[in-house]
Amino acid sequence: YEYEFVKLLCKELKVGLKLHVAPNMSALLEMLENYEVDLVAYRVPYTEENKSKIDFTRREYISNQVLVQCKSDTLVRDVLQLSGKQVTVVPNSIYSERISFLNDEIGGGINIIYSSDTSKVEDLIADVAHHRISYTFADKDIARLNKTYFGNINYDVDVSFPQRAAWCVSKNSPELLSYINEWVKNTSKSSKYTA
């Protein structure tokens, strides 16, 4: 979905699209800070730390994180039930931050397992669906999309409040930021956006 939108943007800008894939969120932001890329067309979470380093565009999303688990008679129905459970998350991600805070909030007891640095949340959802791991965290919209592939997953338990995320650019790119914001405003009203 993001790829399709970034293609539309490049067409409007009359520039070629050169994609770089990052193994994780830290690497993604590092590429932007090192001027290896001009735009991060990914849902980067609004955090105080991120806001101090990068500029967020108006290509925004609001989602919350959920617990992804397999459907069964013994579903976790409340975050307090995670005490004593093993939850696997991507390291150095919004999910690893959230599970750490949640573990503190419930008084500890969550057995936090970190996947490899190159894992993606979609990989972990597939691992849950195939019973290789028991639980993971994901954005609700990502979990909802993956349910179309894995009908046996459940994502009914919220593990965070709604969070904002957006595409971002370097602090040294005010013209690009302005252009993208205007483009987002105009594109959201067009048939391309809803198609």
Side-chain angles (χ1 to χ4, degrees):
Y1 196 62
E2 301 308 318
Y3 173 70
E4 295 299 325
F5 272 96
V6 83
K7 275 188 1 185
L8 285 173
L9 173 64
C10 287
K11 188 175 180 181
E12 288 274 330
L13 283 166
K14 297 178 176 52
V15 297
L17 173 62
K18 184 176 180 186
L19 292 175
H20 295 266
V21 178
N24 56 46
M25 183 69 70
S26 298
L28 195 78
L29 297 178
E30 191 174 297
M31 291 168 77
L32 185 64
E33 290 171 15
N34 293 334
Y35 305 104
E36 296 171 42
V37 298
D38 298 306
L39 166 69
V40 173
Y42 184 78
R43 299 172 183 203
V44 177
Y46 277 85
T47 64
E48 288 301 317
E49 181 182 354
N50 286 345
K51 286 193 304 189
S52 70
K53 297 178 185 175
I54 57 178
D55 281 332
F56 286 93
T57 71
R58 290 196 182 129
R59 177 98 175 114
E60 293 183 326
Y61 308 86
I62 296 178
S63 187
N64 62 299
Q65 292 181 39
V66 294
L67 176 71
V68 178
Q69 59 187 322
C70 275
K71 291 179 183 176
S72 74
D73 293 335
T74 57
L75 282 175
V76 169
R77 298 190 188 282
D78 183 280
V79 293
L80 295 174
Q81 293 176 305
L82 288 175
S83 183
K85 303 281 196 283
Q86 192 172 49
V87 182
T88 306
V89 292
V90 177
N92 303 311
S93 68
I94 56 173
Y95 311 112
S96 63
E97 288 176 19
R98 180 63 198 136
I99 197 167
S100 179
F101 289 131
L102 182 63
N103 195 37
D104 288 343
E105 290 165 12
I106 69 168
I110 300 174
N111 185 5
I112 303 169
I113 305 295
Y114 297 101
S115 65
S116 74
D117 281 344
T118 57
S119 293
K120 296 187 268 322
V121 68
E122 293 87 352
D123 299 332
L124 297 183
I125 292 172
D127 286 346
V128 169
H130 294 298
H131 304 282
R132 291 189 284 262
I133 62 174
S134 300
Y135 308 97
T136 194
F137 285 6
D139 286 334
K140 184 177 265 182
D141 54 347
I142 294 172
R144 185 182 309 120
L145 176 64
N146 277 269
K147 183 148 175 83
T148 62
Y149 308 113
F150 308 111
N152 65 329
I153 64 169
N154 173 283
Y155 58 89
D156 292 339
V157 178
D158 291 343
V159 295
S160 76
F161 292 108
Q163 298 170 313
R164 292 172 53 210
W167 287 7
C168 58
V169 297
S170 165
K171 288 255 184 218
N172 295 327
S173 301
E175 298 88 9
L176 180 59
L177 177 66
S178 179
Y179 187 92
I180 291 171
N181 287 342
E182 190 63 29
W183 175 80
V184 167
K185 185 172 115 181
N186 296 330
T187 305
S188 64
K189 298 173 188 173
S190 78
S191 60
K192 292 176 186 173
Y193 185 80
T194 55

